[in-house]
């Protein structure tokens, strides 16, 4: 019986054309972020298990891949099985996001970093998800973070850089959704949710788009939060005509503000909106962002043509303090790369022309290399292919590999200037 040769479930191979498409998108994102003053760093794919399970990652902690300790004995395995403590068998784990590693990185290297550090991280992460369309066990995250700035400039830099990156990719017309964890705390307080259940309640509210108000109400009831009318209140919050007032207004309020509304947080959101001219901004008091480490402003970017978020982030001022013993303000944004890359129609604008030289058998290797040297020096991507009887099949294959032109090479070809380039798309 033949062995299975597919990748592990939830993980993927990428053929050359798709890999080139992804790298082009990543190059655009990196270029925009660098132009906005961010510097790229790299962290290990694994972190200490205790750090990954420190209560910072919300439900994602349950999805972390654990790496078993070396030298475990059958007795160790039996003891863990009896106690139900599987994590005692692991001392490392694959990172499930890039924010926890960044906090550890900053705590390690802070003496070598500027007072306000602007970081780019673009790398794969791993989660033990149930694989399905658009949800993978290994995927790329594109993060920018600002550490050391407690003021609104950090949020504004993150939002403007992200919108600029999406615009550069051709995804214009995005909208920003804003909320603040202080406002969510006010809503939960008005429902009488005890402190020890608030994070669980937020995780449930974060599912509002998927399971609806009635589903959220039912799930909250299983946690012991059985407040009558929660579903109706969620509908009102989601459907009310929330606005941030006229641009330029410093004291805008949504009509008569509810008693639970944290007005300081709301006015901070108004100030953010007023500093982002030309970008549509919506206040959504039901926006949660599932991570447990957010402390203040939270935001997402959505596109009117797609019913899902293209990325999000927020302020997480208490995370780094867990490593240093004193608070350091921090704020970050993550683009949903796997979602946006499927939306892109990546063209060849600004890219070197890619050419296949289809040569006869009798063309000398030295002459081929001379041609290739000339073309590469002019900025082209070049591949050799020997002419075959089924030329159409060959051209279809190199077109699928991302090449856009080909040229026949015979023994009479003298130099690159004499090549006749033919469009593969024709």
């Amino acid at each position: 019986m033949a062995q299975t040769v597919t990748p592990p479930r939830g993980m993927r191979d990428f053929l050359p054309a798709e890999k080139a498409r992804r790298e082009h998108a990543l190059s655009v994102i990196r270029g925009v972020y660098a132009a906005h003053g961010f510097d790229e760093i790299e962290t290990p794919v694994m972190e200490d298990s205790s750090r990954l399970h420190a209560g910072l990652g919300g439900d994602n902690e349950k999805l972390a891949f654990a790496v078993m300790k070396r030298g475990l004995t059958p007795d160790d395995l039996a003891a863990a099985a009896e106690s139900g403590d599987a994590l005692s068998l692991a001392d490392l784990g694959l990172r499930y996001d890039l924010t926890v590693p960044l906090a550890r990185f900053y705590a390690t290297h802070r003496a070598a970093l500027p007072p306000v550090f602007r970081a780019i991280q673009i790398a794969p992460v791993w989660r033990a998800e149930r694989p399905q369309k658009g949800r993978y066990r290994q995927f790329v995250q594109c993060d920018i973070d600002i550490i050391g700035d407690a003021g609104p400039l950090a949020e504004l830099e993150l939002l403007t850089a992200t919108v600029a990156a999406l615009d550069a990719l051709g995804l214009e017309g995005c909208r920003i959704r804003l909320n603040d964890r202080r406002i969510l705390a006010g809503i939960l307080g008005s429902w009488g949710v005890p402190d020890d259940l608030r994070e669980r309640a937020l995780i449930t509210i974060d599912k509002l788009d998927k399971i609806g108000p009635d589903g959220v109400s039912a799930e909250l009831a299983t946690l012991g939060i059985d407040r009558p009318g929660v579903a109706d209140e969620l509908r009102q919050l989601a459907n009310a005509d929330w606005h941030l007032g006229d641009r330029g207004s410093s004291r805008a309020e949504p009509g008569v503000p509810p008693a639970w509304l944290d007005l300081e947080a709301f006015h901070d959101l108004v100030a953010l909106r007023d500093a982002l001219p030309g970008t549509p901004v919506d206040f959504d008091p039901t926006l949660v962002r599932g991570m447990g480490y957010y402390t203040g402003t939270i935001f997402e970017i959505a596109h009117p043509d797609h019913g899902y978020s293209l990325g999000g982030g927020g302020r997480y001022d208490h995370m780094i303090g867990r490593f240093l013993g004193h608070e350091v303000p921090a704020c970050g944004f993550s683009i949903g790369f796997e979602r946006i890359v499927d939306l892109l129609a990546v063209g060849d604008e600004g890219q070197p022309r890619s050419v296949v030289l289809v040569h006869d058998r009798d063309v000398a290797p030295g002459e081929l290399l001379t041609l290739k040297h000339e073309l590469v020096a002019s900025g082209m991507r070049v591949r050799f292919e020997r002419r075959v009887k089924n030329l159409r099949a060959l051209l279809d294959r190199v077109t699928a590999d991302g090449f856009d032109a080909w040229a026949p090479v015979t023994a009479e070809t003298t130099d690159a200037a004499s090549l006749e380039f033919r469009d593969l798309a024709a």
Side-chain angles (χ1 to χ4, degrees), residues 303-315:
H303 194 279
D305 295 338
H306 310 287
Y308 47 78
S309 165
L310 300 184
R315 182 163 285 282

Side-chain angles (χ1 to χ4, degrees), residues 93-106:
L94 292 173
R95 63 191 177 202
Y96 52 75
D97 76 354
L98 297 176
T99 307
V100 174
L102 173 65
R104 195 270 312 151
F105 173 93
Y106 182 84

Side-chain angles (χ1 to χ4, degrees), residues 60-338:
N60 288 328
E61 292 190 5
K62 302 175 184 177
L63 302 176
F65 282 100
V67 179
M68 294 180 69
K69 298 175 182 176
R70 278 67 58 204
L72 290 172
T73 67
D75 290 342
D76 295 326
L77 299 177
E82 183 177 349
S83 67
D85 183 14
L87 284 178
S88 66
L89 301 175
D91 56 355
L92 298 171
L94 292 173
R95 63 191 177 202
Y96 52 75
D97 76 354
L98 297 176
T99 307
V100 174
L102 173 65
R104 195 270 312 151
F105 173 93
Y106 182 84
T108 302
H109 301 285
R110 63 192 182 282
L113 299 174
V116 176
F117 179 49
R118 297 168 176 83
I120 304 171
Q121 283 190 99
I122 298 178
V125 299
W126 293 264
R127 296 178 190 171
E129 298 271 14
R130 185 187 301 276
Q132 54 186 288
K133 181 177 175 56
R135 191 175 292 275
Y136 308 103
R137 289 178 170 175
Q138 176 179 321
F139 55 95
V140 170
Q141 284 192 336
C142 300
D143 286 14
I144 47 174
D145 295 81
I146 298 178
I147 300 176
D149 187 348
L153 182 59
E155 283 92 333
L156 291 170
E157 285 194 78
L158 293 169
L159 291 169
T160 54
T162 300
V163 170
L166 294 177
D167 285 349
L169 290 169
L171 294 173
E172 300 178 350
C174 292
R175 300 187 69 89
I176 296 173
R177 297 168 65 202
L178 289 177
N179 198 14
D180 194 293
R181 280 295 179 105
R182 292 172 290 177
I183 291 174
L184 286 166
I187 294 173
L188 296 182
S190 73
W191 292 350
V193 178
D195 290 345
D196 61 335
L197 290 179
R198 290 198 172 189
E199 282 303 320
R200 295 284 304 278
L202 289 177
I203 292 170
T204 298
I205 296 171
D206 197 32
K207 303 175 185 178
L208 181 61
D209 290 342
K210 298 178 181 178
I211 63 177
D214 291 320
V216 170
S217 178
E219 189 168 317
L220 289 174
T222 66
L223 301 177
I225 306 168
D226 195 8
R227 171 186 168 89
V230 164
D232 290 337
E233 289 186 53
L234 286 170
R235 289 188 184 92
Q236 292 171 5
L237 289 173
N239 297 324
D241 185 20
W242 292 99
H243 59 86
L244 296 183
D246 296 330
R247 287 193 180 273
S249 171
S250 61
R251 299 297 294 176
E253 296 178 3
V256 178
W260 50 258
L261 181 63
D262 187 309
L263 288 178
E264 180 180 359
F266 184 79
H267 294 143
D268 288 346
L269 298 183
V270 172
L272 281 179
R273 196 289 314 274
D274 287 347
L276 292 167
T279 302
V281 178
D282 301 315
F283 169 50
D284 183 353
T286 66
L287 176 65
V288 174
R289 301 294 305 167
M291 294 299 189
Y293 46 64
Y294 290 128
T295 58
T297 312
I298 48 178
F299 31 76
E300 284 189 349
I301 285 192
H303 194 279
D305 295 338
H306 310 287
Y308 47 78
S309 165
L310 300 184
R315 182 163 285 282
Y316 54 98
D317 288 342
H318 300 329
M319 182 187 291
I320 297 173
R322 295 201 183 190
F323 301 119
L324 291 180
H326 61 85
E327 298 298 337
V328 177
C331 197
F333 197 107
S334 181
I335 281 181
F337 179 73
E338 304 297 347

